[in-house]
Structures are given as structure tokens and as C-alpha cells.
Amino acid sequence: MSPRHRLRAGVQGVVQGVGFRPFVYTTAAALGLTGSVRNDTSGAIIEIEGGDAAIDEFLCRLRDHPPPLAVIESIETEIIAAAGGTGFVIGDTTRADGGRTLASPDVAMCDQCAAEQRDPANRRYRHPFINCTNCGPRFTIIAALPYDRAATTMAPFEMCSGCAREYADPTDRRFHAQPVCCPNCGPSLSFHEGAARTSGEAGLRYARALLRDGAILGVKGIGGYHLACDAGNHAAVTELRRRKCRGDKPFALMAPNLTGARGIVELGADAARLLRSPAHPIVLLPRRADASVAESVAPHNPDLGVMLAYSPIHALLFGLPGDEPAADVLVMTSANLSGEPICYTDVDALGRLSWLADGWLSHDREILVPCDDSVLRVVGGHEFPVRRSRGYAPLPVALPVPVPPTLAVGADQKNTLAVADNRYAWLSAHIGDMDSLATLTAFGLAARQLTSLTGVHPEVIVADAHPGYRSTEWGHRNAGDRPVRTVQHHHAHIAAVMAEHGLTSPVLGFAFDGTGYGPDGAIWGGELLEAEYKGFTRLAQLKYVPLAGGDLSVRRPYRMALSHLWAAGLRWDADLAPVRACSSAERRALEHQLHTGAGCVPTSSMGRLFDAVSALIGVRQVVDYEAQAAIELEGLARSAEADHTGYAFAFDTGRSPIVVDPAPVLEAALNDVRFGVPTAVIGARFHHAVAGLIVELAVARAAPGQPVALSGGVFQNVLLLRLTLDALRAEGFEVFTHRRVPPNDGGIALGQLLVGNAE
């Protein structure tokens, strides 16, 4: 008989609430090993005893085939004295000092739970809160780690004998599933219509009937409340827009399954896998020509944002076999007023915001952490995040270099904050635009919750260099005696790309967005930087033009078009769309501003150039939401993208940085407008010109073998991104863009962490 040895393994990562201990138990039992496994504040502690071959095989399975939702960050082992014994036990959680475990994100209902919910013979048939170790709420219900039921909002619900038996059985799928419950012991569903309240199945029937009747329903999900209506009902969608003060901003849609999604969007294999992934994010996909969705869902937009039903309540809303369905596809948008964070408390939903919906489907499981739906695209077969939230937060991002305990407060649009310690960073869920008291309150709550959950006690605060950002003001106000370090906006963008790809050498970084404060006091946004974490050099910029009236010109692209025409020496002829959109009185005032500089700040923003071109060729003169003009321009350009006729930018290479002049592009586009060239073709030619500009600058300024990084909100434009990637790679460049955090300001905090601590 081979000698027996005992080994202790400390496992760090996402190993709590993901079926890790049952996996260890069954693996050890299958290999004839004895010992124990328990959670502690650093992750999980395993002791195994047996022959060398069995122990080696156990460690291989631990590293290579963990449970689907587990993330193994490290395994540290040591040989200890043999203890004997004949079995393997799962121990209680210990609370040792030091160490850090990682919380799991919220996970969509798994196929096994979905099958049980639909099975009349199963005791959880039609259960609105069915879950197991492979699915269900996590991040949004956890008050503290280690992850035990007592530290979640399931604590008030005492398990019945059946659930307690499953919870204690290591061979059961619900072993130590902290939210485990059934109709006998779990949270309860209720429907509220005015002062009337109806519970259970009757309330669910009322909710489905309300949707069928074309009304608006508030739905309490995993990370907050949504507002839902029939996506095929134009009147219902229009009324929802009115109540939310939404303008033309697209609504997200929810389909019951992949078949339903295929009926409204063009769905390839990569997108289907992403829709069905445990995160179940919103995926932006081309709308089918025959989609049975009201045009008012996403006006003037070729894409639809679609997600699949991800919670048991959503599945019941669509209806199980035998139910009268509510709708084929539902609008499913955050329950909030425009610009505010998602509503997640019953007090807000049923009180302050009760008028937003005609009825509310709610439940009594508290949400501790609000968490919006994540939004992604698929680009070149890879995930491309637009908003990183439910299903992803608070998974850590590994850092290429260690940092001290730090809080990065992000930017003011699409805000997320982040904490980091040593080689890991944790980003919050999406918070939103920092322009309301509600968002500032949510920001403070997110900062407290994330530091508590991760155990990071920040010694440094890092903020954007813009002196007027509310996030920066918050950082200074809450710093106490801690240093506040500021980081230039576009430097942070490029550093975020570098961080998520583990890059430590200087890159050639293109940072294209709408707004970022430059060290010279101008508004940057069309920048080529040679960047590393400790600094950057501005190698090229889009030529400054006056931004007259600040946000007024952002909301009215026709003003940016007139400003660009003025800077290019091109006349404001009466036949031009932006001239027609601007009243004579406003034109006189704008002309005075441009000539005198009153109320103007110079900007090099590529985002504002997209606005100007959109207005110049008649696509969009006034916007209801951020980047609307550019989004609609891209949508049109896609239909004519095969037209490679290029416009060309001019370069002033005698200056440092190189100044890129868009005047020739504007003049060429203007000539095409007057020659009757289709708007879509002009848009495609402009996109090719911008991609060509990037390649020309990269060829001119890159050192041999130097990688190129692309970041900033302009690169959410998939047509531009694809053209740029293809052209750069054709020239032999290694190109990095975002995979883990968004290219927009939702990824800024990650870059701030690295730059703010660089030496």
C-alpha cells in the first residue's frame, strides 16, 4: 500500500456561492481522499489525505475543471501531518484574520432550475425565486463576506425542512446555495395596483393581463426595478417614453428565449452564446427587417438591444405552458427618471416613482446593491463591453503591476468607480451620469459597499483632472487626510486598455471621445498619445475648433457643424441643413461668439466632429441622448460601407503635436451633399476617412514593433472600429482594444488606478 500524505490547499478567487465546496467533496470522494473543505475570509481551505497519485489528480481537477461559475485565482499548498479518518466533511465558515475572498456576480437562472420551474411534478413548479449553486442572485443580496445566508437578504426567510435537507446535503445541487428556498419558505410575490395588493399567482395573472392590455408594468428583478410593456405596441412604448422623459434613446428588449430573439434581430453563433451565457447581458444586434417590434422602441437606429429572460420572475411573466402570454417581446428598461440611477427600493418604486407604471409586480426579498443590466456587442468574435454591470460586477480585473489600496472615482458620464489592492481591481456596477442628487447618493453607497465587500481600505484616491467633475469634487470632499491624485482623462482611457491586456511598455494610443479636460484648459477628444502608466506625450491632435456655449453645442449638433465650417473657412450657405436648423437670431449670436471667443472653449473632440458631419449632411440637428447623431450616422453608413472612396484629412507636421485638419473632409462631404450623393454613402466615406487617418498617424509615429491601443467612446462605433482594426492589422500592427471594461467613461476608473500609482 502506498504511503498516505495530507495536504492543505488555500484557494483564492470566486469560490463562495458557486458550488465550490460540493465540487471539492464529490471530487475527493471519487478519488478516495479523506479530509475537509471550509470557507474563510481568504476563499476556501481544503485538507486532503491519501496517496500521491490521487492527490495529484485532485489538484489537476481543481485547477482545470472547477465549477462553471468559479474563478480560481491561486492555489497555495503545503504538506501537513497526516490525521487519518475515513470520510470527507464540509466544515462551517471560519473567519480568520487577513486574506480576501471574491464575491460572485448575479447569475441568470440555469437550465436545470428552468426545467424544474416548468415541471408540474416538481415541488418548485412555478416558483418565482428558484435557484441553486449554479444560478441566482449573489452580488445584489450580499451584505458581507464570507458568503453565508446570515449575511444576505435571505436571512429573514427560515428554510423549511425540505430546503434545509437539500442545503445540508453535499451531493445535492443546492448544497449551501444561500438563496435556496421553495414556495413554502421563500420570498413572496405581490402585485400592486394603486392601493390594491394581490399576492402570488393571482397577482402574476394581473401583471400579465396588464401587459396584454397595453399598459406599463413595474417589475422588481434581481438588481432593481424595471419598467416593462409590450414591445410591439407603439402606443404603450410611446407612453413609456413620455413618462420617463426618454426622448429617442433606445429601449432594451427582453425575449423569452433564443427563438424569440431570432425573430427580431440577426443572431449569429457568437451573439447567441453571449445571450445564453451566465451573465445574460443585453447584446446590441442588427434589427431584422420583419421584426415585430414598434419603430418607437429604437427610432432611427438599425440595432436593437436584446437580452433573454434571466430571472424566474421574468420567465413567469412571459408565461409557462398553459398560461396566456403577456407579449412575444417586452420592453425592459430601468425604472427611473431619465438621468437617475436604477430604482431598487420598494419605498421608491411604490412611493416616489409609483406614477411611472400602471401596476407593480414586486416581492419581499430586499435588494442591497443596485445593479443595472450589462450591455455588450460582439466584434470580431469577441465580447466588447458597452456597460459592465449585472453578471460581471464585481468580478476582479487582474492588474499588470501591484498598487496600494486605492479608490478611483472615475468620470462624470457613465460613471463606475473602482477599488484596487496589490494586483486586483474591482469595478462597481454601472452608476450613471453624475448630474443629479440621486446619482451622487448612489455613488457614495457604491463606494461604501465595494470597499466593504472587498475589504480594501483605500489609502489613496484618484480622480479625473477636470476641476469641475462632480466625481472629482466627491473625491476631495471625502479624502480626509488621504492624498487625492488627478489623472488626465485620455491618459486614463489608454491606461485602461493597457491594464486589461497586461501591457507595461509604452503604446501608441488613440483616445477618441466627446469630452476630456486637457492640461492646456482645452476640451480634448481627438488625441494620439504615446503612453505608459507614469506619463504620456501628445503626438497628434485634431485641430481645435471653438465649442460655443459648452453643452448647448453638444445638444445641438448644428452648432458644431457651423463652428467647424467657420474654422475651415467654409460659408454658412442658406441651403445647408445646419444653417436651416439654426434661427437667424441664434446664427448672429453664434457668429459673434466665434469671432470674439466669448463663451467659447477650444476643442479637439472627435466626437464633436462626428456630430458636425451628421448635422452637415442632414442626419441629425438636435439630440435627445449622448452620441445620438454619431449613432444614427453610423447606422446609415453601414448600408454603404463598401464605398471606399476616401476623404482625406490634412496634416500640419511642422507643429508638435501634429495638428490634423478636418477642413478637406468637410469640404468634400459638402460637395457630395450638393452633388446629390446619398447620405449613407457620404457617411461611409467619412468613416473610411477617420480609419485612414488612424492608420496614417500610426505608420508615421509608431516605433518599430510598438502596439496600438484604441479607447474612448467614439470606438463604440462598430463600423469605425472594424475598419480601423482591419486596416491597422493589414499594416502589421498589433492592436489592443477593450474586452473587460467599456471604451467609454465606464472604463476610466481602471486606468486611473494604474496612472495614479505609477512612479
Side-chain angles (χ1 to χ4, degrees), residues 68-69 106-115 118 134-135 255-262 267-283 285 306-311 315 376 378 383 390-392:
L69 302 181
D106 300 310
V107 182
M109 180 170 62
C110 68
D111 290 341
Q112 288 172 291
C113 283
R118 300 168 72 89
N134 297 322
C135 69
N257 46 42
L258 278 179
T259 300
R262 286 194 176 98
L267 188 58
D270 292 326
R273 281 193 293 271
L274 184 53
L275 281 170
R276 288 275 297 131
S277 69
H280 270 44
I282 298 169
V283 182
L285 295 163
V306 183
M307 59 183 154
L308 303 185
Y310 59 81
S311 80
L376 290 93
V378 176
E383 293 184 14
R390 179 186 52 77
Y392 297 89

Side-chain angles (χ1 to χ4, degrees), residues 205-224:
R205 287 193 294 272
Y206 279 130
R208 284 199 298 268
L210 186 145
L211 291 169
R212 284 194 301 273
D213 291 343
I216 297 166
L217 176 70
V219 184
K220 188 176 183 180
I222 290 178

Side-chain angles (χ1 to χ4, degrees), residues 346-405:
D346 300 338
V347 170
D348 258 4
L350 303 178
R352 184 175 69 91
L353 299 176
S354 61
W355 56 273
L356 282 175
D358 300 302
W360 295 83
L361 186 64
S362 188
H363 59 77
D364 55 354
R365 183 179 66 205
E366 186 183 1
I367 298 170
L368 286 182
V369 184
C371 198
D372 252 310
D373 298 311
S374 292
V375 183
L376 290 93
R377 286 188 181 274
V378 176
V379 179
H382 297 289
E383 293 184 14
F384 184 77
V386 176
R387 182 168 74 197
R388 184 183 188 269
S389 203
R390 179 186 52 77
Y392 297 89
L395 288 175
V397 176
L399 301 178
V401 294
V403 300

